[in-house]
């Protein structure tokens, strides 16, 4: 009975340790690259015209649309996206 309890406790501790390591590796070390223009088109270009209109985009692109749309034509092109200000990451503690 003691051996089963010991094995169960050891297994539980190991599972917690592995879960913690995985969570730390994901949150600290790995930075994701921002999506490419092509990826954004695939995700957001509803009418498939090769441009991103304000009503098609969401998230940070929608919030900063007027700053990104440099020629003020109502669309974000690949060139405008490349020149766009980079979003700031989360503040570190």
């Amino acid at each position: 009975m003691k051996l089963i309890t010991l094995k169960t406790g050891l297994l539980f501790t190991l599972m917690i340790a592995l879960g913690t390591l995985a969570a730390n590796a994901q949150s600290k070390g790995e930075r994701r690259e921002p999506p490419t223009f092509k990826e954004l088109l695939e995700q957001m270009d509803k009418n498939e015209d090769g441009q991103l209109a304000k009503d098609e985009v969401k998230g940070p692109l929608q919030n900063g649309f007027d700053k990104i749309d440099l020629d003020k034509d109502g669309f974000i092109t690949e060139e405008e996206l490349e020149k766009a200000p980079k979003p700031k990451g989360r503040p570190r503690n």
Side-chain angles (χ1 to χ4, degrees), residues 6-89:
L6 182 61
K7 285 182 180 179
T8 304
L10 185 59
L11 182 60
F12 181 74
T13 304
L14 183 60
M15 288 173 50
I16 289 175
L18 288 175
T20 303
L21 287 173
N24 285 341
Q26 208 172 35
S27 64
K28 286 185 181 177
E30 298 178 23
R31 287 191 171 189
R32 289 188 357 206
E33 291 292 319
T36 64
F37 186 73
K38 182 180 176 183
E39 292 169 337
L40 290 173
L41 284 176
E42 289 171 2
Q43 295 170 8
M44 298 183 194
D45 187 16
K46 295 174 188 165
N47 63 3
E48 300 179 356
D49 64 351
Q51 297 177 324
L52 296 171
K54 190 170 189 173
D55 64 342
E56 292 177 318
V57 298
K58 50 190 168 189
L61 277 180
Q62 189 174 48
N63 296 338
F65 192 90
D66 295 329
K67 292 178 185 174
I68 300 169
D69 181 20
L70 298 175
D71 61 5
K72 307 298 180 205
D73 67 349
F75 299 99
I76 295 176
T77 62
E78 186 171 6
E79 293 78 25
E80 290 172 327
L81 187 65
E82 288 174 5
K83 294 177 184 176
K86 304 302 177 227
K88 294 180 180 164

